Amino acid sequence: MKFVKNRSYKNIAYLLSCAIFFILTSCEEDLTKDKSVQSKNFPSTIIYNAKIIQRDSGFISMKALAPMIEKYELIDSPYTVAKKGINIEFFDKKKPKVPGTITAKYARIFEYKKFYEAKGNVRITTNEGQKFAMQSIFWDQRKNRIYTHDTVFVTMEDGSTLVGANGMTAKDDFSEYTFYKNSGNFSTQKLSESKK
């Protein structure tokens, strides 16, 4: 009888030590997972008063100014963000001395996907003099398309205006665009010229 009691105490002690070991091990694994997620959630690079120039075969295609740019490169889908606003000049080889401009309060760039977004008082002026105003815009560089679902206000060179109530989609060089539920005032002479 004493032999059975001793054996049962040893089994209970063994089971308790195994349970404590597994509890400690599982807690330790959860803590490391939380730390690894948190450790990647910070910018790997911060640039203050950024001045970026992009060239294509020696030709300056873009100039960008931002008070602060942060790069998040340690996560699965790396991106660059300008949380304090951005001002971009983009140049066309046909009119290299007259840049188009984009300004926004916030911009984010997914470099691998070649996808860009700008938000907050987005203003675009093309090198042809057209002015676009909206709250957000997205650029899919792979498809060469720009789009927004916000209301878009457009002022043409001659002063005529157009409102796209449900957004627009356009080629990224603004050579053609489509507005949804649009209205506005146009010069009839301008419309007849465009039909010829």
Side-chain angles (χ1 to χ4, degrees):
M1 194 104 165
K2 286 181 182 176
F3 178 69
V4 173
K5 281 184 179 176
N6 250 351
R7 191 169 186 189
S8 66
Y9 288 131
K10 285 182 180 176
N11 285 342
I12 291 171
Y14 176 73
L15 287 173
L16 281 173
S17 65
C18 285
I20 291 170
F21 172 76
F22 285 118
I23 288 170
L24 290 175
T25 306
S26 65
C27 288
E28 189 176 311
E29 285 178 14
D30 288 343
L31 289 174
T32 34
K33 284 181 185 173
D34 287 342
K35 284 183 181 175
S36 68
V37 170
Q38 290 175 355
S39 67
K40 292 180 182 179
N41 194 17
F42 63 89
S44 55
T45 307
I46 300 174
I47 304 168
Y48 294 99
N49 298 319
K51 294 177 184 175
I52 300 166
I53 296 175
Q54 185 177 10
R55 295 177 189 270
D56 181 13
S57 305
F59 173 75
I60 295 175
S61 58
M62 183 198 72
K63 289 181 182 178
L65 300 172
M68 182 175 73
I69 291 180
E70 298 174 330
K71 287 189 167 200
Y72 290 80
E73 299 171 302
L74 305 175
I75 54 178
D76 293 335
S77 186
Y79 64 91
T80 302
V81 65
K83 293 179 182 175
K84 295 186 175 182
I86 195 162
N87 185 356
I88 299 171
E89 288 184 332
F90 54 93
F91 297 85
D92 187 357
K93 289 182 180 178
K94 294 173 187 172
K95 287 188 172 183
K97 293 184 179 178
V98 183
T101 61
I102 299 174
T103 60
K105 289 186 175 181
Y106 172 92
R108 185 163 55 163
I109 303 162
F110 295 93
E111 292 164 13
Y112 294 123
K113 295 178 184 177
K114 295 191 180 269
F115 189 82
Y116 304 78
E117 67 178 285
K119 294 181 179 179
N121 290 332
V122 180
R123 301 291 181 261
I124 300 172
T125 303
T126 67
N127 60 3
E128 299 290 331
Q130 300 163 327
K131 295 179 181 180
F132 296 78
M134 66 221 58
Q135 285 304 308
S136 66
I137 195 157
F138 304 92
W139 176 28
D140 188 337
Q141 191 177 11
R142 289 180 179 167
K143 294 179 180 177
N144 298 322
R145 300 304 293 176
I146 291 176
Y147 64 91
T148 183
H149 300 292
D150 295 337
T151 301
V152 181
F153 300 91
V154 185
T155 306
M156 308 302 260
E157 282 182 348
D158 64 355
S160 59
T161 59
L162 174 70
V163 178
N166 285 352
M168 74 168 199
T169 181
K171 279 190 174 181
D172 57 4
D173 63 355
F174 288 96
S175 59
E176 66 179 54
Y177 37 84
T178 304
F179 294 96
Y180 301 104
K181 288 194 177 175
N182 52 359
S183 62
N185 64 349
F186 285 95
S187 161
T188 52
Q189 182 181 0
K190 187 82 170 175
L191 285 174
S192 61
E193 286 173 5
S194 65
K195 288 180 182 177
K196 290 180 183 178

